[in-house]
Amino acid sequence: NDLDGPVQGKLTLSIATTGGQQTAQADVPFDVAALGQQSYAVTLALPDTPGDYEVRAAAVPDKGPAKSPTVSRRLTRIMR
């Protein structure tokens, strides 16, 4: 949190195919202190089908000075 006030909201972790079809999602509440950082453990089932996927984390604020979501995307390959 780069802001001078605490931020709370919902953290969503999802996995989707590179074509955009979502295969799994998990949501947890988050609460980060002003100018702070926080780690969260989120359990998410991996797809059974091997292939290329996008892992996406989105922190959507509902309280505090933040007005827009923070989003992180990573491409990954699942091999079986």
Side-chain angles (χ1 to χ4, degrees):
N1 179 10
D2 295 336
L3 303 172
D4 290 332
V7 178
Q8 298 88 30
K10 180 175 71 171
L11 175 63
T12 300
L13 183 65
S14 62
I15 298 177
T17 65
T18 54
Q21 181 181 7
Q22 187 169 299
T23 62
Q25 177 178 313
D27 300 311
V28 296
F30 75 87
D31 188 350
V32 182
L35 303 173
Q37 61 185 8
Q38 184 68 42
S39 296
Y40 292 90
V42 180
T43 301
L44 191 67
L46 294 177
D48 291 327
T49 305
D52 295 331
Y53 292 87
E54 179 185 78
V55 179
R56 181 178 187 263
V60 180
D62 60 17
K63 291 183 184 174
K67 302 298 180 209
S68 60
T70 299
V71 179
S72 173
R73 295 178 179 93
R74 298 291 183 264
L75 294 178
T76 190
R77 179 170 290 153
I78 294 177
M79 302 167 62
R80 302 257 179 199

